[in-house]
């Protein structure tokens, strides 16, 4: 199950131990097929459920070791600490280009905003970019996939095969 995220911890701490049946957190929809196949398999289910329960027990132990959070303040203390804003004399800024505008950007510009982590997850390579590139298990495959994706972006850009366009609307009250 790789790196722990807060939803997996929530599943282990708040849900799994209070339900008698198998409980499995799945990070994204592309992972559900393997999980469901394991749960439906007469030969794989028992080991899969036992392994998951053991992992969740480890997650609960790690969660219990964390430093306790600062207790929340009372509602009255929060109200007493409220920020005072003079809304009567506030004038919101006016958008430079209000209304609907068409926008265009080059592939090179958009490449700077690609979130590669979900891209790798789609290809069933678990890990966060850029650390995944050095991962001892999937790093080599991630590097190949990354190179292929960037070669495709290069080709699309150099041959003008794709012209990214969009529409944005900025409205003020």
């Amino acid at each position: 199950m790789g790196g722990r995220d807060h939803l997996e911890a929530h599943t282990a701490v708040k849900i799994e131990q209070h339900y008698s049946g198998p409980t499995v957190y799945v990070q994204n929809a592309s992972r559900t097929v393997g999980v469901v196949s394991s749960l439906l398999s007469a030969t794989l289910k028992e080991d899969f459920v036992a392994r998951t329960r053991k992992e969740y027990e480890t997650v609960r132990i790690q969660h219990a070791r964390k430093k306790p959070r600062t207790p929340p303040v009372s509602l009255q203390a929060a109200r007493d600490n409220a920020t005072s804003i003079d809304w009567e004399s506030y004038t919101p800024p006016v958008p430079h280009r209000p209304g609907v505008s068409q926008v265009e950007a080059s592939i090179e510009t958009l490449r700077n905003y690609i979130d590669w982590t979900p891209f790798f997850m789609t290809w069933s390579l678990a890990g966060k970019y850029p650390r995944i590139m050095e991962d001892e298990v999937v790093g080599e495959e991630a590097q190949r996939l990354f190179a292929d994706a960037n070669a495709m972006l290069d080709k699309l850009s150099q041959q003008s095969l794709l012209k990214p366009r969009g529409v944005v609307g900025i409205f003020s009250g």
Side-chain angles (χ1 to χ4, degrees):
M1 291 203 170
R4 305 281 182 235
D5 71 18
H6 72 283
L7 294 174
E8 183 183 32
H10 177 82
T11 302
V13 174
K14 303 283 185 178
I15 300 171
E16 190 263 347
Q17 60 187 334
H18 301 290
Y19 180 67
S20 61
T23 305
V24 181
Y25 167 70
V26 182
Q27 190 171 20
N28 67 51
S30 69
R31 308 274 180 179
T32 58
V33 174
V35 169
V36 171
S37 295
S38 294
L39 290 172
L40 293 176
S41 170
T43 56
L44 299 176
K45 180 180 178 178
E46 190 176 325
D47 284 345
F48 178 78
V49 170
R51 190 172 59 249
T52 302
R53 286 189 171 145
K54 185 176 180 184
E55 285 182 30
Y56 284 177
E57 181 61 29
T58 301
V59 171
R60 284 191 290 275
I61 291 167
Q62 291 171 347
H63 180 78
R65 288 181 186 155
K66 287 184 177 179
K67 293 180 183 177
R69 292 183 177 177
T70 305
V73 298
S74 69
L75 178 59
Q76 189 57 51
R79 286 181 174 158
D80 292 343
N81 193 36
T83 301
S84 178
I85 301 173
D86 180 8
W87 291 109
E88 295 300 321
S89 61
Y90 174 74
T91 304
V94 177
H96 297 292
R97 289 191 305 182
V100 177
S101 302
Q102 291 186 6
V103 293
E104 291 185 15
S106 70
I107 290 174
E108 296 310 312
T109 298
L110 294 177
R111 187 189 303 241
N112 296 319
Y113 298 97
I114 295 174
D115 184 351
W116 290 101
T117 299
F119 172 78
F120 289 117
M121 291 164 95
T122 301
W123 290 93
S124 298
L125 297 177
K128 292 193 182 233
Y129 178 81
R131 288 190 315 254
I132 192 172
M133 306 298 266
E134 305 303 322
D135 187 272
E136 61 188 43
V137 177
V138 298
E140 192 174 315
E141 187 61 31
Q143 290 174 24
R144 272 197 299 273
L145 185 61
F146 185 74
D148 288 348
N150 277 285
M152 181 177 287
L153 289 172
D154 291 341
K155 179 179 179 180
L156 292 170
S157 179
Q158 292 163 0
Q159 297 179 12
S160 298
L161 297 172
L162 184 70
K163 193 170 199 169
R165 296 181 192 170
V167 176
V168 62
I170 300 177
F171 307 97
S172 57

